[in-house]
Amino acid sequence: MKKITNITLGKRIFAIEIAAHDELETYLKSIETRFAGDADKDEIASDIETAIAEKLTAMGRGSDSAITREDIEVIVKEMGTAEEVVGEAEEQPTAATTTKRKLYRDSEDKIIGGVASGIAQYLGVDPVWVRLFFVLAVFTFVGIILIPIYLLLWLFIPLASTTAERFSMRGSRVTLDELKSQVKEMVGNETTNSGIERLTVVLKRVFLWLGTVLRSVWAVTRSVLAALLFLVGLLGAIGLTSMYLIFLLADKAWLAEGMRIPLEQALSTPLGFAFFLASFLVFFIPALVAILIGALILFKSRMLGVGKLLLLGSIWLIALVTSITASALYLDKYGTEIKDYIGPQIYEFADWRERDIDYHKPF
Amino acid sequence: MTEPTNATYSLENAKSQMRKGFLEFPVLLLIATESTYAPDILTSLKKANLLVVEGTIYPLLSRLRKFNLVTYCWEESKSGPPRKMYTITDKGKVVVEELQTSFKEFTTSINSLIKNYEKNN
């Protein structure tokens, strides 16, 4: 008596013995690992799965006749092991073991952003040395330019998140054999006690500790900065709105006559009103964005997406262009009048000493 | 000059080296002859003794499709899920023509070398 389970393979249902299932799974995994660097790996794997399913159907296997270990052995012999499949298919035998190395950030080994470990993978050295370089460099004059460079690298180097990306980050495809040798190496490392390796271990611990400290410091700093951003944005938005409301209600609000009259005059023309509205947006949108970004960090809200940011950005740009154009056109049209009216008042206000010039022409 | 090694020369390896990179042409040729499924391609290749393991064909077909030499469409099948039917593309036709010419030249020169060898032995 043997225990069986059900699987789907190439969209067909099969009953399979547990032992055979494990064997089949190992085989399919080894195929997937071999093709991890291939853009069409999913398609190749599913093609092979379908082919195996067709073979099994031809052998009379299905939901009422379970697949045995012997069946799997026959199939693997006919299909070929992962090594055989790749060996026969590749144009160059070497292409199976190395892929072109690309610069990625290492998602599984990071202290801050994974930049150092990504560079280390690219150079083929232990991340500890790149980190040591970064930390030592920060304390020299190079540090001033290094920090923005680090931030830029963080921004522009993609994170290796898929298996295929991790393989091309290392510049090699990890095969089952390589995995085994890696495990052996790791085990071996604990017994070897050369000075450089002990230093590596110590440095690794230091960087891990440093990472924890930096992360908690950053968490606090980020919240404080976000709260400041939120507050500044909020106060700015309120201030701006009340200021523009006063402008808008100029005839009712208490404003010095010298300010009220040109303001009313400006708002009564389409150009002046366009400038008024556009310039409000030019200042209001940054305040709004500050509020939203602050809220995003503080409350992890999802109010601000890339789409909204782009929309706000384009409105801001249009408003900027409109306000510049409108003000230029307005000044071109009414500039002399304004100068004639405001000029003397400013001089009065400043208690200008050279009163002998007569500015008091009628408006 | 390195010392000649005592290791046995692997005939299987030599044959595999000969097949390597060569398999594309017969596969293209089969698809160019008529639109066909992967199992049928495998049967023909096995008959011609050109293939050792069947799995090889799938990465190869994937590569040919990537370079737009062949394309496939899903064909309904009476006895199971739909299957991929491979068809040659216009680009593939050009490649088949070129490979055909160079392969004919290649066989002529190899054959003349073989004939020469047979004459002297």
Side-chain angles (χ1 to χ4, degrees), chain A residues 299-338:
Chain A
F299 314 120
K300 308 237 179 307
S301 73
R302 288 257 151 266
M303 282 190 290
L304 189 70
V306 179
K308 272 185 201 164
L309 209 59
L310 277 177
L311 181 70
L312 283 173
S314 12
I315 296 176
W316 183 80
L317 215 63
I318 293 168
L320 186 72
V321 172
T322 311
S323 64
I324 290 173
T325 317
S327 67
L329 288 175
Y330 184 79
L331 285 178
D332 189 48
K333 210 167 171 185
Y334 305 102
T336 37
E337 284 176 38
I338 297 170

Side-chain angles (χ1 to χ4, degrees), chain A residues 10 12 35 38 40 43-44 47-48 51 54-55 78-80 84-85 87-91, chain B residues 16 19-20 24 39 52-56 58-59 62-63 65-66 72 79 81 83-84 86:
Chain A
R12 297 173 209 219
F35 288 104
D38 199 306
D40 289 323
E43 186 165 18
I44 295 172
D47 279 350
I48 287 179
E54 273 173 18
K55 271 180 189 303
E78 279 180 12
M79 295 299 290
E84 284 170 327
V85 169
E88 294 258 323
E90 290 287 334
E91 289 155 332
Chain B
S16 151
R19 280 191 297 263
K20 235 170 242 176
E24 282 187 5
V52 176
V53 292
E54 295 181 11
T56 313
Y58 301 102
S62 155
R63 195 166 66 230
R65 190 200 55 78
K66 194 154 53 189
Y72 66 74
S79 62
R83 307 157 89 193
K84 282 178 183 174
Y86 286 91

Side-chain angles (χ1 to χ4, degrees), chain A residues 156-351:
Chain A
F156 286 112
I157 300 177
L159 190 71
S161 43
T162 69
T163 326
E165 282 169 350
R166 296 186 53 74
F167 286 148
S168 51
M169 174 181 76
R170 289 205 201 88
S172 67
R173 291 184 197 171
V174 175
T175 63
L176 293 176
D177 295 342
E178 281 173 54
L179 273 177
K180 276 179 205 152
S181 73
Q182 272 184 5
V183 171
K184 264 185 205 157
E185 247 175 62
M186 277 159 73
V187 174
N189 265 350
E190 278 177 28
T191 50
T192 52
N193 267 322
S194 71
I196 206 98
E197 269 169 12
R198 258 183 295 173
L199 181 65
T200 316
V201 170
V202 169
L203 282 175
K204 261 182 193 153
R205 290 212 181 116
V206 171
F207 282 123
L208 278 177
W209 173 81
L210 207 65
T212 320
V213 172
L214 277 177
R215 267 193 295 274
S216 37
V217 169
W218 171 236
V220 174
T221 320
R222 196 177 52 175
S223 303
V224 171
L225 284 178
L228 272 176
L229 203 62
F230 184 80
L231 220 63
V232 167
L234 197 65
L235 288 177
I238 293 172
L240 260 167
T241 313
S242 28
M243 186 171 104
Y244 271 77
L245 274 177
I246 290 174
F247 284 164
L248 201 62
L249 308 170
D251 53 338
K252 289 155 197 127
W254 185 89
L255 270 179
E257 192 159 277
M259 236 177 126
R260 191 167 58 80
I261 292 174
L263 205 63
E264 273 173 0
Q265 196 261 337
L267 284 175
S268 64
T269 65
L271 270 178
F273 194 73
F275 169 74
F276 178 79
L277 216 63
S279 66
F280 174 72
L281 286 175
V282 167
F283 295 113
F284 188 76
I285 288 175
L288 189 67
V289 170
I291 295 174
L292 290 176
I293 290 178
L296 181 79
I297 300 168
L298 276 183
F299 314 120
K300 308 237 179 307
S301 73
R302 288 257 151 266
M303 282 190 290
L304 189 70
V306 179
K308 272 185 201 164
L309 209 59
L310 277 177
L311 181 70
L312 283 173
S314 12
I315 296 176
W316 183 80
L317 215 63
I318 293 168
L320 186 72
V321 172
T322 311
S323 64
I324 290 173
T325 317
S327 67
L329 288 175
Y330 184 79
L331 285 178
D332 189 48
K333 210 167 171 185
Y334 305 102
T336 37
E337 284 176 38
I338 297 170
K339 204 168 85 190
D340 288 347
Y341 186 75
I342 293 187
Q345 302 201 26
I346 290 173
Y347 290 126
E348 265 173 31
F349 185 72
D351 194 22

Side-chain angles (χ1 to χ4, degrees), chain A residues 5-16 53 56-57 61-65 67, chain B residues 81:
Chain A
T5 179
N6 281 322
I7 53 164
T8 60
L9 206 63
K11 292 175 189 149
R12 297 173 209 219
I13 300 167
F14 292 96
I16 186 169
L56 287 166
T57 310
R61 300 290 177 246
S63 44
D64 50 0
S65 167
I67 304 164

Side-chain angles (χ1 to χ4, degrees), chain A residues 110-144:
Chain A
K110 59 174 188 178
I111 301 293
I112 303 175
V115 172
S117 56
I119 292 174
Q121 294 279 12
Y122 189 75
L123 298 174
V125 298
D126 197 300
V128 160
W129 307 117
V130 181
R131 289 194 182 119
L132 194 65
F133 166 78
F134 269 111
V135 169
L136 291 181
V138 165
F139 292 110
T140 65
F141 70 98
V142 195
I144 300 157

Side-chain angles (χ1 to χ4, degrees), chain B residues 4-60:
Chain B
T5 165
N6 270 334
T8 44
Y9 177 77
S10 161
L11 205 58
E12 263 320 301
N13 188 35
K15 284 181 187 170
S16 151
Q17 289 288 339
M18 274 166 83
R19 280 191 297 263
K20 235 170 242 176
F22 165 71
L23 203 56
E24 282 187 5
F25 177 49
V27 169
L28 271 177
L29 213 51
L30 284 168
I31 297 173
T33 312
E34 58 173 336
S35 297
T36 179
Y37 308 109
D40 297 343
I41 299 173
L42 286 170
T43 316
S44 309
L45 289 177
K46 273 184 163 173
K47 224 181 267 172
N49 213 2
L50 285 168
L51 195 71
V52 176
V53 292
E54 295 181 11
T56 313
I57 198 84
Y58 301 102
L60 200 155

